Amino acid sequence: MRLPRVLLAVLATVSATTLVACSSLGSNAPAAPGAGSPASVTVYSGRGEPLVGPLLERFTRDTGVVVQPRYGDSAELAGALLEEGANTPADLFFSQDAGALGAVAAQGRLQPLPAETLSKVDPKFRARDGAWIGVSGRARVVVYNTNTLAERDLPDTMTGLTDSRWRGKIGWAPTNASLQASITALRLLEGDAAARRWLEGIKANEPKAYRNNTAVVQAVANGEIEVGLVNHYYLYALTKEQGSALSARNYHPRDGGAGAIVNVAGVGVLKGSKNAAAAQRLVDYLLTAEAQQYFANETFEYPLTAGVATQPDLLPLGQINQPDIDLSNLADLEGTLRLMREVGVL
Amino acid sequence: MAVAPREPRAPGELRQTVADAEPGGTARGQAPGARWRRSLGRTRAPLILLLPSALIALAMLLPLAYLLIRVAGAGQETWTLLYRTRTGELLVRTIGLATLVTALGAVISLPLAWLLARTDLPARRFWTIATALPLVVPTYVGGLAFVSALGPRGLLQQSLAPFGVERLPELYGWPGAVLTLTCATYPYLLLSVRSALDGIDPSFEEASRSLGVGPWQTFARTVLPQLRPAIWAGALLVALYTLSDFGAVSLLQFDSFSRAIYTQYQGSLDRAGAAALALVLVGITTGILALEVAVRGRASYYRATPGAARRVRRVRLGRWRWPSLAFCGAVVGLALVLPIGVVLYWLAVGLRQAPTFELLWAPTWNALQAAALAALAAAAAAVPLTVLSVRYPGPLTDLIERTAYVGYAVPGIVVALALVFFGANYATPLYQSLSLLVFAYVVRFLPQAVGATRASMLQVSPSMEDAARVLGRGPLAVLTSVTLPLIRPGVLAGAALVFLTAMKELPATLLLAPTGYKTLATSIWGWAAEARYAQAAAPSLMLVFVSGLALLPLLREPRQVAPE
Amino acid sequence: MSSEQHSTRAENQAQTALAPPAVSVVGLSKRFGSALAVDDVSLDVQRGSLLALLGPSGCGKTTTLRLIAGLERADRGQIAVGGRSVADGSSFVPPERRRVGMVFQDYALFPHLDVAGNVGFGLRDRARRAARVGEVLDLVGLGGMERRMPRQLSGGQQQRVALARALAPEPEVLLLDEPFSNLDPALRAHVRAEVREILARAEATAIFVTHDREEALSLADQVAVLWQGRLAQIGTPDELYRQPASLDVAGFIGDADVLPGVARGGQVDCELGTLPGCPPAYGEVAVLVRPEDVRLCADPSGTAAIVRREFYGHDQLVTVRLPSGRLLRARLGRWQSFEPGARVEIAVDGVVSLFPTAGPSS
């Protein structure tokens, strides 16, 4: 018979190369920091590669520290860190959400950051014990269709959306971590019973479930639904991508509450990290004006260090009626998931 | 435990499940059949076969065993999660999807196989290859093509917008998942049925015709019943593939088990829930395998005359030629031309924005590397297992052989999950290393390597090995100087198949790839999940191209084509 | 050893009578699951002689061959090849170290090797390999075919390559498993003679397995009849034919009809009258009558009637009904002609075989 000779050749070459590579390098674990080898830091990033990748490259270019990023969902990576315990190859956890950082910190897996670093950010946006620090702010909003609604039509708090007036008009992404964090906030602020009532009320209004926040914002702009529960920046990202204004605006609930929470994307250094110094450099880099400006410009998030300008379209951080909450306490993701399953929205 | 079957096997092998040749007659040189059974009670299996085989078997069982241990130790909360998580609904949807995709696949494949094997369809050779080629389009590439072309605000809607078409029929959910998976999986059925058709001695049909039965009746009454085992084998592959698919159901937002497992894994700090769901999925696949074994047990094998070079008298299509061509064209258009066309379109869009090729080399190299290592490892593991099970059957070796088929019962997401747990806790040096990923591939795809190798092995008369022994070679020397050269085609075909499927594998790669180790599959997935189709286009085309290179030589020799 | 044909072999055997037998098997047993495939078989094969293992399919003859080759392990018994023990209760010499050659029913030529590669497969000595390959190929009449692939050869040629391959390492004994069953009937007789010739030239000791009695009788010096795993009888073809040890052997070795009779020493009374019988017996016996010993004579007052006639050209087989209603067959020359229904008188030539059926015999 005729054989896949090309394939054979490929197989042989690839394996030979791999064997040679393996025998000379020992293993494919990142090279340990030592004489001659460049410093390296392994990052578990809950933030996507399209966003974080260029920033990390810039960091490597500026400092010579090689970054090994492992991308995934924040909860997934937090779960990995908890599973791996002291065996973790990670040096730094870059989470999209304070809750995941809080969960890892709660298990004592993060080491405290130096005071000098912590001082760069408002205490509201970092762990009280200094285990993690926020690097950018993300506000929960209700995005609404400007063709059918005006801001005054929207309820004062998230609770108002349980009114039957909104039946069939709400969109959300129940698997989205930010939505889940806002429900955790609701539980912290008003208790589990209130959170359950809210979920049941929303469920009764037959919300349309979307895959992610971008899809929610798009659906609002298209008029498929009137309001969506999302983070603030998706609207701007989508506007930029499509190059034209969308028929949608963000609304920060005027009376505050869990619907107006400002969560953070943040970082923490793993306890027992073999590259703690390099990890610390990356933390500090993320808090430089350059990196903060990058977040403001590229992701339309709120920069958290002083002196870096927020995008002009955004409602300034100070004007959002934020609830008073310790973001570390958003760690009880499991409780929220359980509640959502019990209500039957997940 | 999986009721690991000896079937399903590669269609190539199906052709050789040919029973007893007469003691005299046709048996010459490579006589299969009755005489071989004499060897059933031969001397004990040599340790050089038994030991590696037993180790491989244990390794195959490791992920599943660890998953069981993990779930058993997870406590009450995990079990309550199972019934809160709409498990029942998931179950119905998942099984429903598998059933629908399999049924549609059969509806497409049966007439196609008949047209290709038994009629004077114009350009048959072309259609033979074109209808099998969708095998190289991974479901997530097919999925992204369908979503971006037929989804809301997709290319079709945009081109129809000037005519006032605001919305297209909903693609997400059932319609999209069924469409994508049917297009991606029907070739498994087609190849299985067609190779069976090729193997059926036309004298059956001639006999039927001579008894005064018309052509259609003949097909229905003599050919179709003989095809049943091949249809079952193909249907089983399609169903298992659908159950284990992760890419298409995720992109098309169809809540099936593998998607739910991933969502659970991704969105929760506690991983026991994902493990519990994974076990339920293993339960489904095992159930389907058991069902197949039960049904297969009742159906008898068709017999094919080996090497019957009788020319089939092809049915003249006449006026039916045009509808037949249209049918072939529609299948190929939907399953092959549309996805590739859409990807090409996105490539053009992407190239206009920025050249994307520089991002391509590392993922391509990584994909080749991981798949090649998996192919080598699987082929190497398949040899002792196959030789042992074919030459030294017995309760122990049967058990060992069956473990090789565990991969059929454990979808990629399940293997990956188990290995992530295991690696993080007990095998830290291997955790997030290439070896663990390759191991996952081997667990998953070993059945293909064993199937193809087995097909070759069954053609080797044991007297060849006996002859070599008597001529002074020890067991190991016999293996290397006689057995291996003789089963080489099967071993290579098996390696090629594993290579092909490992290249396309997504969920295990997502979970197990070393940090920073991007393959074609994961980069396509990364971009497609963000709906950035232009960036996904280049790696998609690369993947299709490389898979095609691996598949084409296999297609040329239909005996050796064995799908996942 | 009456026939001319066997004389040279008989001489060989006489010369080597004092040397150990080429193969010696004692008390050999082999069980497959619950089935006893070989049951307490003992036999010796003298150097230079040709032994046939004859029996119906499933009688254990191939298993016996494989046990001698070392391809199966015996449960009990001893095997010695060339005077060296290769298997007994405690030790087992693997096939590759037994110095036996084997020709398989399907020839088992390695399809990935050419003729020279096949024939030279068992030759360790690289330096002498080519020469020896040429030598054995010449012996089997295939000189110059070294570079052919097995699939390019005819069935008969393939078999000769298999033979050459087995002979090349100069084994103590050659084992042939149904060597002619894969050949066309038309070719078979020719190839048989050829193989016999080759074996004689190579002065090889050989054991071959067959279910074809003609093959066994015409080819072998000694025939061992296996019946349900047991050795029923071993002897020269002549002995076997004339003095079968049992009715089973008798029936298997050649056509035969059985009549009841009462023996009185060397004579027996039966429906055909009083006949000389052997071995001497007393009391009720089964009388075995070979068709070729029966003569028919047309006689309108005869007691037997012609039932049917099968004409074979060189001879014919005529079936007659005896007064008791039993059928008897007679193999006759082609010149006699009988119509069904015709009356005949029956005579029997030579000595019939007697098998006591009940009661004490001498």
Side-chain angles (χ1 to χ4, degrees):
Chain A
M1 71 171 277
R2 227 178 265 227
L3 294 166
R5 276 169 222 279
V6 181
L7 184 72
L8 255 187
V10 170
L11 284 182
T13 319
V14 169
S15 348
T17 319
T18 305
L19 288 178
V20 169
C22 284
S23 57
S24 60
L25 289 178
S27 80
N28 43 9
S37 68
S40 121
V41 53
T42 300
V43 177
Y44 276 15
S45 173
R47 311 212 65 180
E49 180 174 13
L51 171 70
V52 176
L55 195 59
L56 294 180
E57 272 167 34
R58 224 180 282 178
F59 169 69
T60 301
R61 203 181 51 215
D62 290 357
T63 62
V65 177
V66 176
V67 182
Q68 304 274 352
R70 186 170 187 87
Y71 296 101
D73 270 31
S74 297
E76 170 190 352
L77 293 169
L81 288 168
L82 297 181
E83 179 99 32
E84 290 156 11
N87 296 332
T88 186
D91 299 306
L92 187 84
F93 181 29
F94 192 171
S95 171
Q96 240 181 30
D97 142 66
L101 283 164
V104 176
Q107 296 296 314
R109 294 295 314 133
L110 297 180
Q111 60 185 29
L113 295 164
E116 190 193 340
T117 303
L118 292 171
S119 67
K120 292 178 186 161
V121 166
D122 185 323
K124 228 184 340 189
F125 298 122
R126 56 177 154 92
R128 293 194 179 155
D129 60 2
W132 58 265
I133 188 165
V135 296
S136 59
R138 30 216 294 132
R140 284 304 286 180
V141 295
V142 176
V143 63
Y144 63 96
N145 183 294
T146 48
N147 295 333
T148 53
L149 294 173
E151 187 168 317
R152 62 174 181 282
D153 300 328
L154 292 159
D156 299 335
T157 67
M158 211 162 69
T159 315
L161 289 174
T162 59
D163 190 290
S164 59
R165 172 211 177 308
W166 300 103
R167 176 160 300 180
K169 294 173 179 167
I170 306 173
W172 67 351
T175 55
N176 177 267
S178 300
L179 177 98
Q180 290 164 359
S182 76
I183 295 169
T184 311
L186 184 63
R187 290 170 56 217
L188 286 175
L189 291 168
E190 298 179 32
D192 278 13
R196 177 187 292 271
R197 271 198 306 282
W198 182 78
L199 280 171
E200 282 165 350
I202 294 289
K203 189 189 176 198
N205 275 343
E206 296 160 10
K208 285 195 81 172
Y210 290 87
R211 193 156 71 97
N212 56 29
N213 285 327
T214 307
V216 174
V217 174
Q218 185 78 64
V220 167
N222 291 344
E224 285 176 39
I225 44 176
E226 291 186 1
V227 293
L229 298 168
V230 294
N231 285 347
H232 76 275
Y233 46 86
Y234 291 99
L235 174 62
Y236 306 104
L238 200 60
T239 308
K240 184 185 172 194
E241 191 187 309
Q242 303 201 342
S244 59
L246 300 172
S247 319
R249 278 195 65 177
N250 281 340
Y251 161 66
H252 300 263
R254 54 183 82 84
D255 280 5
I261 188 177
V262 177
N263 201 335
V264 296
V267 291
V269 177
L270 271 297
K271 200 171 271 179
S273 157
K274 294 187 188 69
N275 306 300
Q280 182 59 44
R281 285 183 76 177
L282 181 52
V283 173
D284 287 330
Y285 176 78
L286 292 173
L287 295 169
T288 59
E290 182 192 4
Q292 290 286 306
Q293 198 62 57
Y294 177 85
F295 288 123
N297 295 345
E298 295 297 319
T299 69
F300 307 96
E301 287 174 296
Y302 289 101
L304 295 182
T305 58
V308 181
T310 301
Q311 280 281 306
D313 296 345
L314 271 60
L315 187 67
L317 209 48
Q319 292 178 30
I320 300 174
N321 189 357
Q322 298 174 53
D324 185 25
I325 203 166
D326 180 353
L327 290 176
S328 277
N329 291 340
L330 295 178
D332 186 20
L333 173 62
E334 293 311 306
T336 300
L337 292 174
R338 200 179 314 133
L339 188 65
M340 290 176 76
R341 281 189 205 112
E342 278 170 19
V343 173
V345 294
L346 198 62
Chain B
M1 230 310 291
V3 194
R6 283 220 208 167
E7 334 303 333
R9 288 185 194 142
E13 185 185 356
L14 288 171
R15 299 185 52 163
Q16 281 121 30
T17 6
V18 177
D20 324 345
E22 295 82 4
T26 54
R28 190 158 293 168
Q30 302 199 339
R35 284 189 61 79
W36 296 19
R37 293 208 187 109
R38 183 167 292 140
S39 323
L40 287 190
R42 312 169 95 212
T43 44
R44 275 162 284 160
L47 271 185
I48 50 161
L49 282 180
L50 199 56
L51 209 63
S53 302
L55 286 177
I56 294 164
L58 285 179
M60 291 302 115
L61 288 175
L62 175 89
L64 203 52
Y66 186 66
L67 202 63
L68 274 169
I69 293 169
R70 173 82 179 209
V71 175
Q76 193 58 33
E77 175 66 16
T78 307
W79 295 110
T80 49
L81 179 140
L82 272 187
Y83 65 76
R84 277 189 202 137
T85 323
R86 306 170 309 164
T87 309
E89 189 194 329
L90 276 178
L91 212 64
V92 172
R93 289 172 69 92
T94 305
I95 294 174
L97 181 71
T99 314
L100 212 58
V101 168
T102 311
L104 272 175
V107 167
I108 294 175
S109 303
L110 278 176
L112 257 188
W114 183 76
L115 282 173
L116 294 174
R118 292 291 156 100
T119 70
D120 65 344
L121 184 80
R124 261 194 329 275
R125 282 192 54 81
F126 165 77
W127 292 117
T128 302
I129 292 179
T131 50
L133 270 185
L135 276 183
V136 303
V137 182
T139 58
Y140 42 89
V141 172
L144 84 85
F146 283 124
V147 166
S148 69
L150 310 177
R153 286 174 320 284
L155 302 176
L156 183 64
Q157 190 271 333
Q158 281 172 23
S159 58
L160 293 177
F163 309 102
V165 177
E166 285 295 322
R167 303 214 56 170
L168 290 172
E170 183 66 60
L171 180 74
Y172 288 115
W174 283 100
V178 170
L179 177 69
T180 311
L181 283 167
T182 305
C183 285
T185 57
Y186 83 87
Y188 294 138
L189 253 164
L190 174 67
L191 287 173
S192 176
V193 173
R194 196 178 57 100
S195 106
L197 260 180
D198 285 344
I200 291 177
D201 194 325
S203 62
F204 287 114
E205 286 151 273
E206 287 162 7
S208 168
R209 294 295 291 275
S210 74
L211 291 167
V213 180
W216 291 102
Q217 283 272 332
T218 291
F219 186 81
R221 283 169 54 188
T222 70
V223 179
L224 210 52
Q226 296 186 70
L227 287 180
R228 226 169 50 191
I231 297 174
W232 274 114
L236 181 72
L237 291 173
V238 171
L240 289 174
Y241 193 103
T242 308
L243 286 177
S244 65
D245 177 69
F246 166 75
V249 292
S250 296
L251 288 177
L252 288 144
Q253 300 177 31
F254 181 91
D255 263 319
S256 75
F257 253 99
S258 50
R259 182 177 183 222
I261 294 168
Y262 189 64
T263 311
Q264 180 72 30
Y265 169 79
Q266 227 184 1
S268 169
L269 299 174
D270 175 21
R271 294 168 157 196
L277 285 175
L279 268 192
V280 178
L281 181 54
V282 171
I284 302 177
T285 52
T286 309
I288 287 189
L289 286 170
L291 183 77
E292 199 273 344
V293 168
V295 172
R296 176 69 64 84
R298 276 184 271 125
S300 66
Y301 284 111
Y302 64 88
R303 286 161 180 253
T305 321
R310 300 284 303 278
R311 282 201 84 83
V312 181
R313 191 176 306 146
R314 295 186 176 274
V315 174
R316 296 212 158 172
L317 288 173
R319 269 179 306 148
W320 286 94
R321 184 190 302 173
W322 299 112
S324 303
L325 280 176
F327 173 65
C328 294
V331 172
V332 171
L334 203 59
L336 188 66
V337 178
L338 177 79
I340 304 285
V342 170
V343 170
L344 280 173
Y345 166 83
W346 286 116
L347 184 69
V349 171
L351 285 180
R352 238 181 297 136
Q353 289 169 357
T356 45
F357 291 116
E358 58 191 276
L359 296 172
L360 209 54
W361 299 123
T364 305
W365 170 252
N366 289 343
L368 283 174
Q369 185 187 41
L373 288 174
L376 277 181
V383 169
L385 276 179
T386 310
V387 175
L388 185 75
S389 74
V390 173
R391 287 293 181 254
Y392 305 93
L396 178 66
T397 49
D398 278 6
L399 193 70
I400 288 177
E401 196 216 358
R402 272 153 201 246
T403 58
Y405 289 96
V406 154
Y408 274 130
V410 283
I413 185 92
V414 179
V415 176
L417 209 55
L419 289 182
V420 164
F421 293 155
F422 185 77
N425 290 297
Y426 299 106
T428 329
L430 294 180
Y431 183 59
Q432 292 181 0
S433 76
L434 185 57
S435 357
L436 207 60
L437 177 63
V438 169
F439 177 55
Y441 288 159
V442 173
V443 172
R444 242 339 240 127
F445 304 131
L446 186 63
Q448 298 174 7
V450 170
T453 309
R454 215 186 136 84
S456 270
M457 190 67 201
L458 286 173
Q459 287 189 307
V460 178
S461 157
S463 56
M464 302 276 176
E465 289 151 359
D466 289 346
R469 283 301 292 278
V470 172
L471 287 167
R473 304 284 168 103
L476 190 62
V478 171
L479 190 67
T480 53
S481 67
V482 175
T483 316
L484 267 180
L486 291 181
I487 61 176
R488 206 178 64 137
V491 175
L492 286 177
L497 280 169
V498 173
F499 179 79
L500 179 72
T501 34
M503 284 273 295
K504 302 193 295 176
E505 208 285 339
L506 179 62
T509 318
L510 274 180
L511 265 63
L512 292 173
T515 295
Y517 193 85
K518 228 189 297 175
T519 71
L520 287 175
T522 54
S523 29
I524 297 168
W525 171 251
W527 295 118
E530 304 278 328
R532 298 175 72 161
Y533 305 122
Q535 281 86 347
S540 298
L541 274 184
M542 187 56 136
L543 182 53
V544 168
F545 177 70
V546 178
S547 308
L549 283 187
L551 182 71
L552 276 180
L554 289 173
L555 280 183
R556 214 177 296 155
E557 179 63 89
R559 275 176 170 252
Q560 297 297 348
V561 173
E564 183 174 349
Chain C
M1 298 297 125
S2 58
S3 87
E4 237 261 338
Q5 187 193 358
H6 290 140
S7 61
T8 36
R9 296 214 153 234
E11 279 160 27
N12 283 346
Q13 282 172 33
Q15 283 164 11
T16 55
L18 293 177
V23 175
S24 167
V25 170
V26 181
L28 197 62
S29 294
K30 173 73 182 173
R31 187 180 280 283
F32 289 129
S34 61
L36 202 52
V38 176
D39 185 3
D40 196 22
V41 166
S42 302
L43 49 83
D44 282 353
V45 186
Q46 295 307 322
R47 218 168 274 276
S49 80
L50 183 50
L51 173 84
L53 285 176
L54 176 68
S57 62
C59 72
K61 52 192 190 304
T62 294
T63 305
T64 305
L65 203 68
R66 294 174 61 84
L67 285 167
I68 294 170
L71 296 171
E72 310 274 1
R73 259 173 204 262
D75 298 328
R76 260 182 302 116
Q78 289 111 47
I79 303 169
V81 174
R84 184 176 63 119
S85 169
V86 293
D88 57 37
S90 56
S91 69
F92 176 84
V93 176
E96 61 269 26
R97 288 194 270 120
R98 287 198 176 190
R99 293 191 46 75
V100 298
M102 190 152 174
V103 175
F104 292 83
Q105 183 176 18
D106 59 6
Y107 313 141
L109 296 183
F110 305 126
H112 60 298
L113 300 177
D114 60 11
V115 168
N118 268 284
V119 175
F121 193 87
L123 297 173
R124 292 273 156 124
D125 186 353
R126 277 164 190 279
R128 283 211 56 235
R129 190 181 289 167
R132 176 68 182 155
V133 167
E135 210 175 292
V136 226
L137 281 180
D138 284 340
L139 179 73
V140 301
L142 290 177
M145 297 267 217
E146 279 87 346
R147 296 271 82 87
R148 297 275 190 94
M149 295 308 280
R151 62 172 177 278
Q152 298 170 306
L153 303 175
S154 72
Q157 288 173 324
Q158 288 187 13
Q159 198 204 33
R160 278 185 279 162
V161 173
L163 200 57
R165 182 176 70 177
L167 284 171
E170 297 177 77
E172 294 284 341
V173 60
L174 195 61
L175 309 172
L176 302 99
D177 186 6
E178 301 268 8
F180 309 108
S181 65
N182 273 343
L183 294 170
D184 254 314
L187 258 177
R188 215 172 283 172
H190 175 67
V191 173
R192 222 143 59 185
E194 219 172 53
V195 166
R196 205 194 142 72
E197 184 66 19
I198 293 169
L199 291 180
R201 255 185 284 155
E203 293 172 18
T205 310
I207 302 178
F208 75 99
V209 154
T210 180
H211 62 269
D212 182 330
R213 63 194 182 204
E214 262 182 52
E215 203 167 286
L217 295 176
S218 65
L219 214 51
D221 300 316
Q222 295 265 313
V223 176
V225 181
L226 286 179
W227 198 265
Q228 292 175 349
R230 301 194 65 98
L231 182 66
Q233 189 172 10
I234 182 165
T236 64
D238 240 25
E239 284 164 6
L240 241 64
Y241 200 81
R242 277 195 309 215
Q243 291 163 23
S246 70
L247 275 177
D248 290 332
V249 173
F252 192 74
I253 276 290
D255 293 338
D257 290 309
V258 179
L259 300 172
V262 177
R264 293 177 279 109
Q267 290 199 309
V268 63
D269 294 325
C270 65
E271 212 177 340
L272 303 175
T274 300
L275 303 172
C278 178
Y282 292 90
E284 289 183 9
V285 290
V287 181
L288 185 114
V289 184
R290 300 249 179 231
E292 52 271 32
D293 292 342
V294 177
R295 277 183 297 116
L296 301 181
C297 185
D299 180 351
S301 61
T303 50
I306 304 290
V307 176
R308 67 176 162 268
R309 169 179 176 239
E310 294 157 49
F311 188 71
Y312 290 104
H314 46 74
D315 60 5
Q316 58 182 324
L317 194 64
V318 178
T319 307
V320 297
R321 189 183 304 280
L322 301 179
S324 64
R326 288 203 167 76
L327 298 178
L328 185 74
R329 288 170 296 173
R331 195 172 287 282
L332 305 173
R334 62 188 159 87
W335 41 267
Q336 265 185 308
S337 169
F338 295 101
E339 290 304 314
R343 296 266 147 191
V344 291
E345 209 43 67
I346 299 172
V348 177
D349 289 340
V351 182
V352 295
S353 303
L354 304 183
F355 300 93
T357 46
S361 63
S362 75

